[in-house]
Amino acid sequence: AGRAAWRHFGWYMCSLSLFHYSEYLVTAINNPRSLSLDSFLLNHSFEYNLAALSSWVEFTLEKLLFPELKQITWLSTVGLLMVIFGDCLRKAAMLTAGSNFNHIVQNEKSDTHTLVTTGVYGWFRHPSYVGWFYWSIGTQVLLCNPICVVGYALASWRFFRERIEEEEITLIHFFGEEYLEYKRKVPSGLPFIRGVKVEL
């Protein structure tokens, strides 16, 4: 209820908390056998923690040096909408995939592993990554962090480009022509990321 900058930081902290809690909750619903403290994704990677810390440092320094930069309510609202869209898309992807969803790329196909192509998977091949991509950038738009907006966009794009290529090699191995046909029809969902190139 205070000044806009701290209100926007509150929106950010609520969004961050909800994201990590719901990762655990949806995993508990969908795939309880893989549930662990790691399901919160709080220890996702050193780079992820460094990115979060960088955004807090940028917000604090810019609030001290350029306080008017942190008072742009319409921009923070756009960021909040990106965060809500991204998180909802990611959770929809997790729920649609059911027990097929795992936070770790699987190297071995289980007996129950099926190729999911319906729901949000009919829009994008990798809706959970699309959701996370826009959620992460949205957090920085929400905070009016210009440096981190660019940094998060570039780092997230690079991470998902590599992750999608790695994952699609596995999916082609698991599902063969069925996945290749799906890949031809449905885009990855992320800008300028086409996935693994298949030599014919």
Side-chain angles (χ1 to χ4, degrees), residues 25-40:
L25 182 62
V26 174
T27 302
I29 293 166
N30 271 355
N31 201 353
R33 288 181 299 151
S34 70
L35 190 66
S36 71
L37 288 177
D38 291 341
S39 301
F40 283 108

Side-chain angles (χ1 to χ4, degrees), residues 51-64:
L53 181 61
S54 299
S55 75
W56 303 339
V57 169
E58 180 181 352
F59 179 86
T60 304
L61 289 177
E62 288 173 355
K63 186 172 182 334
L64 292 171

Side-chain angles (χ1 to χ4, degrees), residues 120-134:
V120 291
Y121 288 87
W123 306 343
F124 313 119
R125 290 197 313 272
H126 302 280
S128 70
Y129 296 160
V130 176
W132 198 347
F133 179 76
Y134 287 107

Side-chain angles (χ1 to χ4, degrees), residues 25 29 55 59 68 74-75 77 85 87 94-95 103 107 112 117 124 133 136 151 154 156 159 161 164 169 179 184 190:
L25 182 62
I29 293 166
S55 75
F59 179 86
E68 66 283 353
W74 71 265
L75 186 59
T77 303
F85 165 77
D87 203 12
M94 293 172 72
L95 289 167
H103 284 120
N107 294 319
T112 59
T117 61
F124 313 119
F133 179 76
S136 68
L154 293 174
S156 296
F159 172 78
R161 185 196 65 200
I164 284 172
I169 290 169
Y179 186 78
R184 280 190 284 271
L190 288 165

Side-chain angles (χ1 to χ4, degrees), residues 5 7-13 15 59 70 72-73 75-83 137-145 149:
R7 185 167 62 248
H8 301 158
F9 193 80
W11 293 355
Y12 163 79
M13 290 304 292
S15 302
F59 179 86
K70 303 301 178 185
I72 310 172
T73 298
L75 186 59
S76 289
T77 303
V78 169
L80 182 61
L81 292 173
M82 289 175 68
V83 163
I137 297 169
T139 62
Q140 300 314 298
V141 175
L142 193 162
L143 291 175
C144 300
N145 278 353
V149 164

